[in-house]
Amino acid sequence: MDTAAAESRNPGMAPDPSSHRLMPRFLVIVLSLAGLVIALQFVQGLQTIVGPVFLGLNLVIIAYPLQAWLIRQGVHRFLGATVTVAVVVVVLLVFMALVLWSASELVLALPQYAQQFNEIYNSMITWVGSFGVTPDMMLEQLSGLNMSTVVSTATGIVTALLSNVTAILGLLATVVMTVFFLAMDSVAVDRRMALLNTAKYELGTALSAFAEGVGRYWIVTTVFGLIVAVLDVAALAIIGVPMIWVWGVLSFLTNYIPNVGFIIGMVPPALLGLVEGGWGAFIAVIAAYSVLNFVIQAVIQPKFTGESVGVIPTVSFLSLLFWAWILGPLGAILALPATLLLKAIMIDADPQSRWINSFIASDLKGLEARMAKARADTGDSAGTAGTAATAAPAGPGDPSAGAVAAPAEPVESPASQAAGEATVASGTPGHSGTGQAEPAGRRRESGEAQGH
């Protein structure tokens, strides 16, 4: 009624879209933010469950091509799923063994370098004092800092992580059980995706693209992480830093943390290089790590990941901080996949929200190509509809007249109409049982029958 009244008052103006809103925009924004805060607190409270479950989902996505290949080779679906679960469990055990081995090596090695770190600390105080800062001022500011305390604190943290066997086993058990159930349920994933594409085509397409992109992301990240780790080990061996294999494993594991992972993996070998080889080794380690990681991860790796990352580096870094806050340390590893899942559900699956990709998508060329194709398809559809709507009737000599326009009914001359009326009045065979004149074609057929 309001819209009709507005149109009657302003017949030349389009109705205001805001007149259809049930609530003011400000109230909608406030309620949406409040709901988002509640949802985030809920997920944060369940981080010990949500994190491992989402990690298990990622592992199933990575291993699903193996399961599909086994099924194509004639292996029973459930047997193929069981083999996939076994492979995933073996990979998880290998990763856990690498983490435990490298952490134990650090626990054994760090206390041996406490004296050297103290000497470096004292030399740094002396060097700063050469710029006019007295040692008393430095000691007053750093009175609570002792390198022996720092080393013992770091050792205590690693030891606590190793001794917390219950948490580690609980995390591993949750991941393994999630992988098992998801793998069993994945035997019918093709049929489920077909049903989803039928009911919600946009959502099905977005989730399929998410699964493909995330699988490619993990595989490419693993391969290039191994390459970077091997090159880092070679560089550390040339520089003369001890425990090169421990730092190689650390470099490989921290490669899964986007943006800042290589910095985390660079600090321990750089400090150890400072202890063993002085400032020259320290600078050499930093330079080697920076060059190798920049060339491989920033230049070469994106050419293989393609659209799998999907977001610009700023969004990737912010997602790292966000998901590490929501899911804890595991969120730092799952930051990009979690962001891509939200992007697939909330942006890619909603045509009205895809404009956000203009600000956060990394593949601008692909985005421009898809938008150009969508515009071309829309233009073709509109042109076809306009041509059909404005098509003129074909002339008598047009051979396509029968295919375009419906045949017109025969028009009788006034004389024929008069003859027909006379026939009806006289009760001749052209008279119909209902008192109406028969069609001209039927009258011709009955006349020919009478002639025979």
Side-chain angles (χ1 to χ4, degrees):
M1 293 296 293
D2 296 339
T3 305
E7 290 180 353
S8 62
R9 289 193 300 268
N10 303 303
M13 298 179 60
D16 185 7
S18 61
S19 61
H20 297 282
R21 290 200 188 101
L22 298 178
M23 294 184 294
R25 179 177 297 176
F26 173 76
L27 183 58
V28 173
I29 294 175
V30 171
L31 293 177
S32 300
L33 291 177
L36 179 63
V37 170
I38 295 174
L40 291 179
Q41 289 181 345
F42 177 76
V43 174
Q44 191 175 31
L46 296 176
Q47 62 177 228
T48 55
I49 299 176
V50 176
V53 168
F54 189 65
L55 176 60
L57 173 63
N58 281 264
L59 293 175
V60 171
I61 291 175
I62 298 170
Y64 182 74
L66 172 63
Q67 180 179 343
W69 180 81
L70 291 174
I71 294 174
R72 287 196 301 269
Q73 300 302 315
V75 179
H76 192 272
R77 290 179 177 271
F78 288 100
L79 180 58
T82 304
V83 173
T84 302
V85 172
V87 171
V88 171
V89 171
V90 170
V91 172
L92 279 176
L93 292 177
V94 170
F95 270 82
M96 294 299 297
L98 289 175
V99 171
L100 294 177
W101 174 76
S102 59
S104 61
E105 289 292 325
L106 286 176
V107 169
L108 295 175
L110 283 177
Q112 302 176 6
Y113 295 96
Q115 182 63 32
Q116 290 89 331
F117 280 117
N118 275 327
E119 294 176 358
I120 294 173
Y121 168 72
N122 294 329
S123 64
M124 289 182 64
I125 292 179
T126 304
W127 177 73
V128 173
S130 63
F131 293 95
V133 181
T134 62
D136 294 336
M137 295 173 58
M138 291 292 299
L139 291 175
E140 183 180 356
Q141 296 295 326
L142 302 175
S143 58
L145 179 63
N146 190 325
M147 292 309 297
S148 298
T149 305
V150 173
V151 173
S152 61
T153 302
T155 305
I157 293 174
V158 177
T159 304
L161 291 176
L162 292 177
S163 61
N164 197 359
V165 180
T166 304
I168 296 175
L169 292 179
L171 172 65
L172 186 61
T174 304
V175 174
V176 170
M177 295 302 294
T178 302
V179 170
F180 174 78
F181 288 113
L182 287 176
M184 292 296 111
D185 292 337
S186 66
V187 296
V189 68
D190 295 334
R191 297 169 60 187
R192 297 182 185 276
M193 291 304 298
L195 292 173
L196 179 60
N197 287 332
T198 302
K200 296 287 185 180
Y201 175 76
E202 299 287 348
L203 180 60
T205 303
L207 290 180
S208 299
F210 159 75
E212 181 181 356
V214 166
R216 186 168 64 249
Y217 163 76
W218 284 115
I219 293 175
V220 172
T221 302
T222 301
V223 172
F224 279 91
L226 286 173
I227 295 174
V228 171
V230 171
L231 294 177
D232 287 341
V233 167
L236 294 176
I238 295 173
I239 297 171
V241 178
M243 301 173 60
I244 57 174
W245 295 112
V246 174
W247 309 133
V249 171
L250 183 63
S251 174
F252 171 69
L253 295 177
T254 56
N255 179 69
Y256 290 103
I257 303 176
N259 301 107
V260 298
F262 90 95
I263 298 177
I264 300 174
M266 176 184 66
V267 172
L271 292 177
L272 199 58
L274 177 63
V275 171
E276 290 290 336
W279 289 102
F282 177 80
I283 296 174
V285 171
I286 294 178
Y289 268 67
S290 300
V291 171
L292 290 174
N293 282 271
F294 174 77
V295 172
I296 294 177
Q297 294 185 341
V299 178
I300 301 177
Q301 183 172 338
K303 298 182 182 298
F304 291 88
T305 54
E307 302 177 12
S308 60
V309 175
V311 293
I312 58 177
T314 302
V315 176
S316 175
F317 176 71
L318 293 178
S319 68
L320 170 66
L321 301 178
F322 176 77
W323 290 110
W325 171 60
I326 294 295
L327 299 178
L330 194 58
I333 299 176
L334 300 174
L336 270 178
T339 302
L340 294 180
L341 178 60
L342 289 183
K343 177 176 175 289
I345 296 175
M346 303 178 65
I347 298 176
D348 296 338
D350 186 5
Q352 296 182 352
S353 302
R354 288 179 188 166
W355 59 270
I356 302 178
N357 282 327
S358 304
F359 299 98
I360 67 174
S362 60
D363 184 28
L364 289 180
K365 292 183 178 179
L367 186 61
E368 291 169 351
R370 288 191 294 271
M371 292 181 66
K373 183 178 182 299
R375 285 196 299 266
D377 294 341
T378 304
D380 292 342
S381 301
T384 303
T387 302
T390 59
D398 191 352
S400 62
V404 176
E409 294 186 0
V411 180
E412 297 180 352
S413 63
S416 301
Q417 294 177 0
E421 294 174 357
T423 304
V424 172
S426 60
T428 56
H431 182 266
S432 172
T434 59
Q436 297 178 351
E438 294 182 353
R442 187 173 297 175
R443 290 199 299 270
R444 285 195 298 268
E445 291 176 0
S446 61
E448 290 175 0
Q450 291 177 2
H452 290 290

